[in-house]
Amino acid sequence: MRDIYNTLNSRQQEAVFHTEGPLLILAGAGSGKTRVLTHRIAYLIDEKGVNPWNILAITFTNKAASEMRERVDKIVGFGSESIWVSTFHSTCVRILRRHIDRLGYDNSFTIYDTDDQKTLMKDICRRLNVDTKIYKERSLLAQISHAKDELITPDEMEMNAAGDYNKKKVAAIYREYQTSLRKNNALDFDDLIVKTVELFQNCGDVLENYQERFKYIMVDEYQDTNTAQFKFVSLLASKYENLCVVGDDDQSIYKFRGANIGNILGFEHVFPDAAVIRLEQNYRSTQNILRAANEVIAHNTARKPKTLWTENQEGEKIHFRQFMNGYEEAEYVVGEIAGARREGKGMYKDFAVLYRTNAQSRLFEEKCLLANIPYKIVGGVNFYARKEIKDLLCYLKTIDNAKDDLAVRRIINVPKRGIGATTLSRVQDYADQMDISFYDALRVAEEIPSIGRSLSKIDGFVTFIQGLKSKAEAYTVRELLEEIIRLTGYVTELEAEDTEESRARIENIDELISKTEAYQEAGEERGEPATLSGFLEEIALIADIDSVDPDQDYVLLMTLHSAKGLEFPNVFLVGMEDGIFPSYMSIMSDDCSDLEEERRLCYVGITRAMKELTMTSARQRMIRGDVQYNKVSRFVREVPRELVDLGYKVEEKKPKISESLTGDSSLSKMRQVFAAKPFQATQFKVTKADSLDYQIGDTVRHVKFGVGVVKNIVEGGRDYEVTVDFDKVGVKKMFAGFAKLKKI
DNA sequence: GCCCGAAGTCTTTTT
DNA sequence: GACTTCGGGC
């Protein structure tokens, strides 16, 4: 046997060597569960002679999947590429792409994102004369999604409704929603799981096929599986029962999207033969951080009792600071990072700022920009949800799946083709009457009565799309996209607009183009054809966290939810205020388990930290336009006083901050900041351009600082250092790779 | 059919 | 505060 298993502790070894039958690994935060999983895979292949082809490992995010894949590649001798490592959603898509015709869908189905779902729901409400003042689209979709998480069909929902008028109405809307999805040959996120389960239940041969294929199944983050996902896994595993699930009930934070904590708490009931192994030694955090985490989570009642321990050093105390408002809070945090960086205490990527809601990112982003600190915001408005991106994607979707009415209707007038609402509703009526798709109705528009003058415009559009369709086969995705941009004049139009906004949009489009290129390359590497459907699918299933590149040196700003599974030497938990975190909703809720979920979220946050943890709060804060006064979060008070360092008085601290980092940065102050900053020589991996598209004397634009003139360019080891004199904020030095200056 | 400004709504968290 | 929707005017 190889000696790679010697580095594991005895509990971990036990988990690795237990290969047959159901196994539940209760893995506390930082207890090395990914190590266990990867070593377990290696052991299965190397020692047990299992064919890599027979192994399935499921994670929640693509990032987790690719990390696991990478680590498996490193320790598995051969054949690691045929191990199936992917997320629940991609796994299901791959299965459905091959077999969903058995359920009466077309195998080229489209995946609807939240935006698409909303548009569709709006449509349905209009059709069914539902008053959206009373039944909000959002809440309807939430109810439907929840039903799907629990594998409840429209029929079942109606039956459960009994005499309840409201519930019956929702059930009817749910039914109509499903019909529309099918008409559009589309699935929403939840359907991906639900339909796969349906497929398995209806087609025994398909299920058996996959049961034989996946003889060994592993599921990561098991505490976050919902009923549908559980059903999916247990169907797959029911033949061989070689199911290994890894999770931590204390880190269950996705109840709102249907995660059923019962799946982990009741695993031993469903699989009576299950072995249970606990991993309680933490390798990540200092003793103080771990003690704080243990103390906080101990306030929860619904949990499997356990206590993490570590052999690590005691470490520093938990820092807590309270500020007058959110600005000062952000200034402090960013100042601390800048300071630590200046003193050589770590790189930017060693720091993470974690908050409860996405909206809180803004202040930190602003301060980072002012301090010239590279950062990345994870989450918030999805890149692919931006208008210009969606427009172009809908062209691609139309080409890919002509049944997707939503996509066709979105682009029929983008750019303006002078086809109005009246015409569109006539086409829609005709399509409904004839029971054909919207696009097919357009193709036979001459048969539609009272279309009149618009006919020629519609014909123009149809010819245009048909032309693109005929090219789709031969073109790469990139070529197709560029053709669309050229023929529609999309970018030309934006260029003519010439505003701050339109320039940003063009930049986004450029990024989309490079994503098609990256997709092409990845396909070639894997030896898979880079199809249009494949590209659209990848985009639909991508999460923002997936784009975090561990080689890039930037501070990460994200929600606590996004931070799960990550670790950082230094963590800032900001906005620690009752009403923010725990959220107002959870405090007010009758169901005290809501508050417990928030506490688990806090536990997740604390345990992200390896060396240092800072919690901050503000006395007053702007929330949606008006000022709120919040108390310090109860979670802060649950950390034993002796573990906390309250620091100096805030008033004493302030001058030092404003000296270095306030917005009205006079030249001398900025110099101070930069003088002690030898960081261009260190690893600052922003890909260095071969040359810059501007030179000394050119006028350039910066996202935050506005317009300025380039004064100097110094070629550094990894990037160019550019000095710019800005109209508004004066002279600044910055790195070309990060500053993204645009010549104007 | 299209554009612009006023009013209304929202936010927890995400694949 | 930021984004979307709606209604009035052209």
Side-chain angles (χ1 to χ4, degrees):
Chain A
M1 191 161 78
R2 291 164 70 194
D3 55 7
I4 53 168
Y5 309 104
N6 297 345
T7 54
L8 301 170
N9 69 37
S10 61
R11 305 270 89 194
Q12 292 175 325
Q13 282 181 1
E14 209 181 310
V16 168
F17 300 153
H18 185 104
T19 55
E20 309 303 305
L23 170 66
L24 167 64
I25 304 174
L26 288 169
S31 62
K33 69 183 162 103
T34 312
R35 251 169 84 76
V36 167
L37 280 177
T38 48
H39 281 75
R40 197 167 180 274
I41 291 174
Y43 183 78
L44 279 168
I45 296 170
D46 295 344
E47 310 297 331
K48 288 277 167 168
V50 173
N51 188 337
W53 168 265
N54 290 132
I55 299 175
L56 169 68
I58 300 181
T59 61
F60 268 82
T61 63
N62 296 295
K63 183 173 193 290
S66 57
E67 269 170 21
M68 188 172 311
R69 154 127 286 146
E70 214 171 280
R71 289 171 66 169
V72 168
D73 279 346
K74 271 192 198 139
I75 63 168
V76 171
F78 58 93
S80 72
E81 66 287 343
S82 44
I83 305 169
W84 198 332
V85 186
S86 80
T87 66
F88 268 106
H89 295 266
S90 335
T91 305
C92 289
V93 171
R94 270 172 86 176
I95 294 172
L96 291 174
R97 283 273 178 234
R98 293 188 51 180
H99 307 287
I100 200 172
D101 51 322
R102 299 283 292 273
L103 297 177
Y105 284 79
D106 202 294
N107 284 1
S108 66
F109 62 86
T110 307
I111 301 166
Y112 275 3
D113 65 19
T114 358
D115 263 16
D116 302 327
Q117 288 177 282
K118 236 172 145 183
T119 316
L120 188 66
M121 185 52 81
K122 228 184 243 166
D123 248 42
I124 288 166
C125 288
R126 204 171 32 225
R127 273 213 301 278
L128 297 183
N129 278 321
V130 174
D131 183 356
T132 50
K133 290 250 157 55
I134 302 167
Y135 299 92
K136 298 246 186 291
E137 290 101 338
R138 275 180 57 90
S139 116
L140 288 167
L141 284 167
Q143 289 178 67
I144 291 172
S145 168
H146 198 247
K148 290 183 177 180
D149 288 341
E150 297 294 325
L151 289 172
I152 296 169
T153 63
D155 287 341
E156 284 165 333
M157 191 190 255
E158 191 171 351
M159 271 180 355
N160 295 342
D164 190 325
Y165 175 80
N166 266 330
K167 283 188 186 161
K168 267 184 117 157
K169 185 126 191 166
V170 176
I173 294 168
Y174 178 16
R175 186 190 314 278
E176 182 63 22
Y177 174 76
Q178 285 310 109
T179 315
S180 301
L181 279 174
R182 181 177 289 240
K183 235 190 229 159
N184 288 312
N185 197 29
L187 303 185
D188 65 16
F189 283 128
D190 304 313
D191 277 345
L192 297 176
I193 317 287
V194 174
K195 293 293 164 194
T196 312
V197 169
E198 216 175 297
L199 176 75
F200 284 169
Q201 284 171 332
N202 291 345
C203 313
D205 55 318
V206 177
L207 173 60
E208 209 182 317
N209 177 14
Y210 284 102
Q211 284 175 335
E212 284 300 326
R213 161 101 202 236
F214 300 127
K215 291 190 176 123
Y216 292 87
I217 301 171
M218 271 156 268
V219 183
D220 194 11
E221 306 284 9
Y222 185 67
Q223 74 282 355
D224 289 324
T225 51
N226 61 33
T227 303
Q229 288 161 336
F230 172 72
K231 189 78 195 168
F232 167 72
V233 169
S234 44
L235 279 169
L236 267 184
S238 60
K239 185 157 184 186
Y240 290 99
E241 292 214 332
N242 293 325
L243 174 63
C244 165
V245 301
V246 188
D248 178 4
D249 53 309
D250 286 333
Q251 292 188 64
S252 165
I253 54 172
Y254 281 109
K255 190 171 137 212
F256 73 92
R257 83 176 180 204
N260 183 351
I261 196 164
N263 287 346
I264 194 162
L265 296 178
F267 188 79
E268 297 139 272
H269 283 284
V270 184
F271 298 96
D273 305 335
V276 182
I277 294 172
R278 288 161 191 272
L279 304 179
E280 291 181 315
Q281 179 175 6
N282 173 294
Y283 293 94
R284 180 186 292 152
S285 310
T286 63
Q287 279 184 32
N288 277 339
I289 290 169
L290 213 54
R291 276 175 64 197
N294 279 334
E295 292 283 344
V296 169
I297 198 67
H299 286 79
N300 272 6
T301 52
R303 61 185 290 254
K304 295 200 170 198
K306 62 177 128 6
T307 309
L308 286 183
W309 58 278
T310 184
E311 288 173 352
N312 291 346
Q313 304 212 318
E314 187 173 70
E316 284 193 43
K317 288 190 172 179
I318 314 298
H319 313 294
F320 174 71
R321 303 284 185 276
Q322 188 180 29
F323 299 91
M324 279 315 291
N325 52 48
Y327 292 97
E328 290 183 8
E329 180 188 40
E331 210 160 76
Y332 171 80
V333 170
V334 171
E336 286 294 300
I337 296 174
R341 177 63 215 239
R342 222 176 308 138
E343 290 159 27
K345 292 194 214 151
M347 326 225 311
Y348 289 120
K349 68 176 177 187
D350 295 336
F351 295 84
V353 180
L354 309 181
Y355 35 77
R356 178 69 234 274
T357 65
N358 281 306
Q360 288 168 262
S361 67
R362 227 198 72 228
L363 290 176
F364 294 94
E365 172 171 34
E366 237 165 59
K367 295 295 175 196
C368 280
L369 273 166
L370 283 170
N372 229 330
I373 288 179
Y375 65 92
K376 178 174 175 73
I377 295 181
V378 178
V381 192
N382 189 334
F383 174 78
Y384 296 102
R386 301 202 168 120
K387 182 185 175 301
E388 61 279 12
I389 303 300
K390 281 224 98 172
D391 284 346
L392 293 172
L393 287 178
C394 279
Y395 271 99
L396 293 176
K397 281 184 173 179
T398 302
I399 294 165
D400 191 49
N401 171 16
K403 285 192 193 165
D404 187 353
D405 292 357
L406 239 54
V408 180
R409 293 210 327 233
R410 181 181 177 111
I411 53 162
I412 191 165
N413 246 332
V414 178
K416 299 261 171 305
R417 295 189 175 88
I419 304 170
T422 344
T423 309
L424 292 181
S425 78
R426 279 183 187 140
V427 175
Q428 184 65 61
D429 287 348
Y430 183 80
D432 290 346
Q433 256 173 50
M434 296 302 191
D435 200 26
I436 55 176
S437 74
F438 187 81
Y439 185 70
D440 283 338
L442 289 175
R443 291 178 65 177
V444 294
E446 69 274 8
E447 288 169 21
I448 306 175
S450 66
I451 271 290
R453 191 165 325 181
S454 306
L455 182 60
S456 65
K457 296 171 188 163
I458 290 177
D459 277 346
F461 175 72
V462 171
T463 318
F464 176 61
I465 296 294
Q466 289 303 112
L468 287 169
K469 268 177 187 271
S470 64
K471 289 172 186 163
E473 282 284 299
Y475 278 34
T476 64
V477 181
R478 177 182 179 150
E479 286 165 342
L480 199 57
L481 180 61
E482 282 176 336
E483 184 80 347
I484 291 167
I485 292 169
R486 193 174 62 81
L487 292 174
T488 56
Y490 204 102
V491 169
T492 324
E493 211 171 274
L494 287 172
E495 276 167 356
E497 227 178 274
D498 195 39
T499 60
E500 191 87 30
E501 192 192 324
S502 71
R503 274 186 291 270
R505 289 190 194 283
I506 294 174
E507 247 174 71
N508 289 334
I509 292 172
D510 287 340
E511 203 174 326
L512 181 66
I513 295 174
S514 51
K515 296 211 190 248
T516 60
E517 189 62 31
Y519 170 72
Q520 186 82 28
E521 281 165 18
E524 276 160 20
E525 239 170 66
R526 271 175 296 176
E528 286 166 21
T531 63
L532 176 55
S533 321
F535 177 68
L536 292 172
E537 177 180 308
E538 197 167 295
I539 280 175
L541 296 180
I542 217 151
D544 210 25
I545 190 79
D546 300 336
S547 67
V548 172
D549 178 353
D551 295 334
Q552 295 262 2
D553 190 24
Y554 41 49
V555 175
L556 277 175
L557 313 180
M558 66 186 134
T559 62
L560 288 149
H561 282 89
S562 302
K564 194 173 67 155
L566 307 179
E567 60 179 22
F568 305 91
N570 298 277
V571 169
F572 291 89
L573 293 183
V574 302
M576 297 296 293
E577 295 142 47
D578 268 19
I580 307 267
F581 186 37
S583 74
Y584 185 73
M585 306 266 274
S586 67
I587 296 175
M588 287 302 148
S589 168
D590 308 324
D591 185 355
C592 70
S593 74
D594 287 341
L595 191 66
E596 296 214 339
E597 173 138 329
E598 296 277 309
R599 190 174 283 111
R600 289 194 290 271
L601 194 54
C602 181
Y603 176 77
V604 167
I606 294 173
T607 52
R608 295 314 94 195
M610 299 158 80
K611 298 219 147 49
E612 259 185 83
L613 175 67
T614 306
M615 305 205 243
T616 62
S617 70
R619 286 177 206 277
Q620 61 181 86
R621 186 181 288 280
M622 276 280 241
I623 303 283
R624 264 181 280 141
D626 42 33
V627 182
Q628 253 184 33
Y629 298 86
N630 296 318
K631 286 198 292 184
V632 171
S633 169
R634 60 194 71 193
F635 298 151
V636 174
R637 284 178 274 133
E638 287 169 7
V639 178
R641 177 65 187 83
E642 71 269 18
L643 295 180
V644 181
D645 133 58
L646 292 169
Y648 1 62
K649 278 189 188 144
V650 176
E651 294 78 62
E652 289 170 18
K653 183 74 183 165
K654 256 191 329 197
K656 187 186 160 201
I657 305 163
S658 48
E659 198 179 296
S660 60
L661 278 168
T662 39
D664 61 297
S665 46
S666 74
L667 183 57
S668 65
K669 282 176 187 166
M670 285 313 285
R671 275 218 185 101
Q672 266 183 5
V673 178
F674 282 100
K677 232 187 198 180
F679 70 68
Q680 62 270 45
T682 61
Q683 300 171 35
F684 185 58
K685 191 211 152 191
V686 171
T687 344
K688 180 180 170 182
D690 294 337
S691 65
L692 298 170
D693 54 1
Y694 46 83
Q695 43 185 298
I696 296 173
D698 280 345
T699 307
V700 294
R701 180 186 307 277
H702 181 273
V703 268
K704 182 77 188 178
F705 301 140
V707 177
V709 178
V710 179
K711 290 289 174 206
N712 195 18
I713 300 177
V714 181
E715 190 168 350
R718 288 176 181 260
D719 202 358
Y720 296 92
E721 192 188 47
V722 185
T723 311
V724 184
D725 187 359
F726 289 104
D727 296 351
K728 290 187 198 131
V729 291
V731 177
K732 299 221 176 245
K733 270 187 198 176
M734 54 197 65
F735 290 107
F738 182 67
K740 300 224 175 71
L741 296 166
K742 282 272 179 267
K743 184 179 169 180
I744 50 175

